Amino acid sequence: MTSKGKIKPGYTRSLDFKNGCVEMVHGSGGRAMTQLIDQLFMTAFDNDLLRQMNDQACFQSVAGRMVMSTDSHVITPLFFPGGDIGSLSVHGTINDVVMSGAKPTYLAAGFILEEGFPLSDLKRIVESMAKAAQEAQVPIVTGDTKVVEKGSGDGVFITTTGVGIVPDGINISSNKAQPGDKILVSGTLGDHGIAIMLLRENLSFHCALESDSASLHDLVAKMVATTPNLHVLRDPTRGGVATALNEIARQSDVGMMLYEDKLPILEPVNAACEFLGLDPLYVANEGKLIAICKPEDADQLLATMHTHPLAKNAAIIGEVIEDHHCFVQMETRFGGKRVVDWLSGEQLPRIC
Amino acid sequence: MTSKGKIKPGYTRSLDFKNGCVEMVHGSGGRAMTQLIDQLFMTAFDNDLLRQMNDQACFQSVAGRMVMSTDSHVITPLFFPGGDIGSLSVHGTINDVVMSGAKPTYLAAGFILEEGFPLSDLKRIVESMAKAAQEAQVPIVTGDTKVVEKGSGDGVFITTTGVGIVPDGINISSNKAQPGDKILVSGTLGDHGIAIMLLRENLSFHCALESDSASLHDLVAKMVATTPNLHVLRDPTRGGVATALNEIARQSDVGMMLYEDKLPILEPVNAACEFLGLDPLYVANEGKLIAICKPEDADQLLATMHTHPLAKNAAIIGEVIEDHHCFVQMETRFGGKRVVDWLSGEQLPRIC
C-alpha cells in the first residue's frame, strides 16, 4: 500500500513474487526498496502504527514496568515441520518478553536478506510472521530491511525485538529461585531441536515430529493470574532445559535436583536422541517454559497449566536445593545421581 | 563479570581476545557463549538493567507516548574513518528514535557473528558501541548473540533497537510537511557515504574525509525546545537527502523546491562525487538531519542549530510547495530546474 492509499508516480509496477529474487537494489533506500516495503511488508503486517511510515513507531505507554527483549534468528533450514523462521522469530521474542510475566505489546523486525533469495520464499516467511503476530495480538509496528551480496548472508536472518508491560505485583526473575521451590516444565522436551535435526539429517521416524514453536503469552497470563508469586519463568531454547536450569542456578545461587522419571519426553524424541547421540535435556524447545514456584503453589499452578492447550503435558520435574556449587543434578531412573552440567561443546548449531 | 560477582565453577578460563576467533560453540547457549557474554558484552555494556541477566530487561515506564525503532547494520568495511559498525549501530538507531522528537532511553542489540571472526575485532566493535551508548547516555540493556558458519555471514551484523519517550506537545511526523514550510539540513551532505566509498576504492583526496556518524539526541532536544511546533525531522541515511525528501513529499502529499547553491557540501565530497559519478544528494549521511518547519520558525531554528557543534553548517536548503505529483525539484546554480527523482538503481550497497 502507498501512503494515504493513493498511487503515486513510479509505484505502479508489481514485484514478481512468483519468479523474482531479492536484489541488491532492494536494500538501497530507493524506489525498489519502497516497492518491497509497500507490496510485501506493509501489506502483510498492516496496522495503524506501521502505517505511520516514519522511521520509528509511536504509541501510548502506561506508567509502570516495561520489558524489552531482542533475538536474532538464523535457523537453518528456513522452513521446517511446525513452522518457519518467520513464525519462530515472532514466537521467540514474544516468549522472551512474557518470561517476565509481561503482557507483550509491540514488535519490531529487522531483516537481513541475501541477494538472490527468492521473493516467493520471502513472502511465505513474512506472511507466516504476520499470522503469528496476529494470533498473538502483538503487532509488528516498525522494521528495517538490509540486503547483502550473495555469499555474505544465508537467505534471510530476522531480528525481532519486543516490548511488553509487567502487571503490578508480578516480580519474576531468574535470580529468585529458592531452596524448596518446585521446578515445572510446560510440556514435552526437545521437540523443536529434534524436528530440525531429523530434517537436516533427512531422517524420519515412524511418528511425525513437529517443532513446538508457539507463543506462550496466553499460558503465562493464566499462570500469573493463578500464582502471582511465581519466582522464575524461562523458555529453554538453545541449550535446552539443562542450560536454562544451570543459568537459573547460577543467578539464584542455588542447586537443583531433577527426577529423570518425571521428564516429559515424546517417544520419537527419545528414540532420535539415542540414535543421534543427543541428550534431550540439552535440545532446544521453542514453545515450552520452565516455571519455578513455592512448593505450596506447585499443584495449583500445575492444574492451571493442564487446562491450557500448550501445557497439557506439564509436569513437576524437580526441586531447588541448597548448593553453593550451583550444581544441577538428576536422580536417574535407576536411583543414581548425576550432574547435569553446562553444555561444553556445540550440540545443535543454528537451531533458532 | 559473573552474577553477584562470584566466580562459579567453569568460569575461570579467559577468552583469548588477542588471537582467538568466534567459533560455532559461542552460539550454542552453553559454557562458551556464557563466557563470551560475561567477558565481552557484560563487561563493555555494564549497567544495572543488563545485570538483571534475564532474557529481557525490565525498566520503569512513564505514561505518555513512546517510540520504538530498529535497524540492522551490515556496513562494509566494518571499520572506517570516523567510526565502525559498533558506533554506527548505536548512532543509527538513536537517530531514528530522536527523529520523532523523543528522548532516547534504552537500546537492545542483536549480534550475528560469522565463525572465524577475530575476537580482537569483535572486542573493538563492542567497546566502540559501549562508548557511543555511554556518550549518548542510552544504555544497552538487553541483547542476543548468534553464530553462523564461515561463509554464511560477513564478519558481524548488528541489529539495534531503541525506545524513547516523546515530550508532551511534540508531534513530529513525515506526513506533516505543509506548503510554505522551510527545509533545513543540519550540515554538510554525503560525508559518510563518500568516506566509505573512498575506503572501498582505496582512493584518497588531499583533504582527509571522515564519516559524520554521530548521535543527534542532544541537537534534537535543543531544536524541539526552540521550536516545539517542528513539522518533520528525518535523518537522510541510505539514499541520502534526495530519497528522504521524496519519502516525506509522498507522505505529506506535497512537492519540494531545493536551491542548489544553498546545499552545504564539503569540497572533497564534491570532488569525489564528480570523480565517482555520484550525486551528493543521494549519498548517505549518518550524523545529519533534515528539519521542516513553518517559515516563521525557520530563522530561529537555524540560529539554535548553529550553536550546536553537530550543526555548525546547518542551512535552509529549500521549501515545501504544493504539487499533487509530489515531485522534489531543484533550482540549479544556473537558474534552471530539475527533478530530484527517487533513486532507481543501487548507488552504494551496504553503506550502513
Side-chain angles (χ1 to χ4, degrees):
Chain A
M1 54 155 288
T2 60
S3 63
K4 304 186 183 179
K6 287 167 67 177
I7 301 297
K8 293 287 161 60
Y11 286 89
T12 48
R13 280 189 310 165
S14 281
L15 286 172
D16 181 357
F17 284 113
K18 198 167 162 201
N19 302 307
C21 286
V22 171
E23 300 166 35
M24 290 306 292
V25 69
H26 289 123
S28 68
R31 201 189 294 274
M33 192 172 90
T34 309
Q35 283 183 320
L36 186 68
I37 291 171
D38 285 353
Q39 293 175 28
L40 179 58
F41 297 108
M42 292 296 292
T43 306
F45 298 153
D46 187 44
N47 61 68
D48 286 348
L49 292 175
L50 191 63
R51 242 176 279 132
Q52 293 171 349
M53 288 284 278
N54 289 316
D55 283 339
Q56 72 294 122
C58 184
F59 49 83
Q60 288 295 318
S61 76
V62 294
R65 286 170 303 147
M66 281 191 72
V67 290
M68 182 180 192
S69 186
T70 198
D71 242 337
S72 295
H73 297 84
V74 300
I75 192 166
T76 179
L78 297 170
F79 301 95
F80 48 84
D84 55 58
I85 192 173
S87 53
L88 182 72
S89 71
V90 169
H91 296 153
T93 291
I94 287 180
N95 290 348
D96 278 344
V97 166
V98 302
M99 291 305 128
S100 64
K103 175 181 156 49
T105 48
Y106 300 110
L107 288 174
F111 294 82
I112 298 174
L113 308 175
E114 185 189 11
E115 181 187 19
F117 188 67
L119 284 177
S120 56
D121 283 351
L122 183 60
K123 186 162 189 274
R124 195 174 148 200
I125 288 165
V126 167
E127 288 175 350
S128 168
M129 284 185 83
K131 182 163 173 276
Q134 193 161 26
E135 283 172 355
Q137 295 182 284
V138 187
I140 297 166
V141 296
T142 190
D144 180 54
T145 308
K146 292 292 186 327
V147 180
V148 297
E149 304 85 351
K150 201 166 179 65
S152 292
D154 194 12
V156 54
F157 301 143
I158 305 176
T159 301
T160 42
T161 307
V163 293
I165 296 164
V166 186
D168 284 342
I170 304 297
N171 284 289
I172 294 169
S173 179
S174 292
N175 63 2
K176 293 189 65 184
Q178 290 169 22
D181 282 358
K182 296 292 183 188
I183 304 168
L184 295 82
V185 293
S186 64
T188 55
L189 304 181
D191 304 2
H192 174 75
I194 294 301
I196 301 296
M197 283 308 286
L198 294 180
L199 186 61
R200 282 193 204 158
E201 305 293 330
N202 203 15
L203 293 170
S204 69
F205 282 74
H206 297 300
C207 199
L209 189 64
E210 286 200 342
S211 164
D212 58 350
S213 180
S215 171
L216 299 171
H217 60 289
D218 188 59
L219 173 62
V220 168
K222 289 188 167 54
M223 289 170 67
V224 298
T226 301
T227 312
N229 189 29
L230 255 178
H231 288 166
V232 181
L233 286 176
R234 181 69 77 103
D235 57 334
T237 56
R238 268 186 293 183
V241 163
T243 300
L245 289 178
N246 270 286
E247 286 176 6
I248 297 166
R250 176 170 87 131
Q251 287 173 249
S252 295
D253 206 10
V254 294
M256 298 193 182
M257 182 63 70
L258 308 181
Y259 307 110
E260 190 174 19
D261 60 351
K262 303 291 185 199
L263 298 175
I265 299 171
L266 290 175
E267 194 35 51
V269 170
N270 251 331
C273 280
E274 270 186 39
F275 184 82
L276 296 164
L278 298 170
D279 182 337
L281 279 174
Y282 293 88
V283 176
N285 311 275
E286 289 292 343
K288 298 289 156 49
L289 59 79
I290 295 168
I292 299 181
C293 68
K294 287 187 177 177
E296 58 267 34
D297 292 336
D299 288 338
Q300 201 191 348
L301 182 61
L302 185 66
T304 299
M305 293 168 78
H306 280 156
T307 65
H308 197 280
L310 291 177
K312 288 194 301 280
N313 298 310
I316 299 174
I317 64 163
E319 61 194 283
V320 179
I321 58 176
E322 279 195 44
D323 180 357
H324 70 283
H325 291 299
C326 305
F327 285 147
V328 177
Q329 300 181 66
M330 184 161 72
E331 263 188 35
T332 66
R333 278 202 185 77
F334 312 105
K337 280 183 190 161
R338 69 173 177 92
V339 170
V340 179
D341 200 4
W342 290 81
L343 187 64
S344 272
E346 171 65 46
Q347 196 179 34
L348 300 177
R350 297 186 62 183
I351 204 72
C352 59
Chain B
M1 52 156 291
T2 60
S3 63
K4 302 184 182 178
K6 288 166 66 178
I7 302 296
K8 292 289 161 55
Y11 288 89
T12 49
R13 281 188 309 164
S14 280
L15 286 172
D16 181 357
F17 284 113
K18 198 167 161 203
N19 302 306
C21 286
V22 171
E23 300 166 35
M24 290 306 293
V25 69
H26 288 124
S28 68
R31 200 189 296 275
M33 192 173 91
T34 308
Q35 283 183 320
L36 185 69
I37 291 171
D38 284 353
Q39 293 174 30
L40 180 57
F41 297 107
M42 292 295 291
T43 306
F45 298 153
D46 187 42
N47 60 68
D48 287 348
L49 292 175
L50 192 63
R51 244 177 276 131
Q52 294 171 349
M53 288 283 277
N54 289 316
D55 283 338
Q56 73 294 123
C58 183
F59 48 84
Q60 289 294 320
S61 75
V62 293
R65 286 169 303 147
M66 283 190 71
V67 289
M68 182 180 195
S69 187
T70 199
D71 243 336
S72 294
H73 297 85
V74 300
I75 191 167
T76 180
L78 297 170
F79 301 96
F80 48 83
D84 55 58
I85 191 172
S87 54
L88 181 71
S89 71
V90 170
H91 297 153
T93 291
I94 287 179
N95 290 349
D96 278 343
V97 166
V98 303
M99 291 305 128
S100 64
K103 175 180 157 46
T105 49
Y106 300 110
L107 288 174
F111 294 83
I112 298 174
L113 308 175
E114 186 189 10
E115 180 187 20
F117 188 65
L119 284 177
S120 56
D121 284 350
L122 182 61
K123 187 162 188 276
R124 195 175 148 199
I125 288 165
V126 167
E127 287 174 350
S128 167
M129 282 184 86
K131 181 163 173 279
Q134 194 160 27
E135 284 173 356
Q137 295 182 285
V138 187
I140 296 166
V141 295
T142 190
D144 180 55
T145 309
K146 293 293 186 325
V147 180
V148 297
E149 304 85 350
K150 202 168 178 62
S152 293
D154 193 12
V156 54
F157 301 143
I158 305 176
T159 302
T160 42
T161 308
V163 292
I165 295 165
V166 186
D168 285 341
I170 305 297
N171 284 291
I172 293 169
S173 178
S174 292
N175 64 2
K176 292 188 64 185
Q178 290 169 21
D181 282 358
K182 296 291 181 186
I183 304 167
L184 294 81
V185 294
S186 64
T188 55
L189 304 181
D191 303 3
H192 174 75
I194 294 301
I196 301 295
M197 283 308 286
L198 294 180
L199 186 60
R200 282 194 202 156
E201 306 292 331
N202 204 17
L203 294 170
S204 69
F205 283 74
H206 297 299
C207 199
L209 189 65
E210 287 199 341
S211 165
D212 58 350
S213 181
S215 171
L216 299 171
H217 61 289
D218 189 56
L219 173 62
V220 168
K222 290 188 165 55
M223 289 169 67
V224 297
T226 301
T227 312
N229 189 28
L230 255 177
H231 288 167
V232 181
L233 286 176
R234 180 69 76 103
D235 57 334
T237 56
R238 265 186 295 184
V241 163
T243 301
L245 289 179
N246 270 286
E247 286 175 5
I248 296 166
R250 179 171 83 131
Q251 288 172 250
S252 295
D253 205 10
V254 295
M256 300 192 181
M257 183 62 70
L258 307 182
Y259 308 110
E260 190 174 21
D261 60 350
K262 304 291 185 197
L263 298 175
I265 299 171
L266 290 175
E267 193 36 51
V269 170
N270 251 333
C273 279
E274 268 184 39
F275 185 82
L276 295 165
L278 297 170
D279 181 338
L281 279 175
Y282 293 88
V283 176
N285 310 275
E286 289 293 341
K288 299 287 158 44
L289 59 79
I290 295 168
I292 299 181
C293 67
K294 286 188 179 179
E296 57 267 34
D297 293 335
D299 288 337
Q300 200 190 348
L301 182 62
L302 185 66
T304 300
M305 292 169 77
H306 281 155
T307 66
H308 197 280
L310 292 177
K312 288 196 301 281
N313 297 311
I316 298 173
I317 64 163
E319 59 193 285
V320 179
I321 58 176
E322 280 195 46
D323 180 357
H324 70 283
H325 292 300
C326 304
F327 284 147
V328 177
Q329 300 180 66
M330 185 160 72
E331 260 188 38
T332 68
R333 277 200 187 80
F334 310 104
K337 281 183 190 162
R338 68 173 177 94
V339 171
V340 179
D341 200 5
W342 289 82
L343 187 62
S344 271
E346 170 67 46
Q347 193 177 38
L348 300 176
R350 297 185 63 184
I351 203 73
C352 60

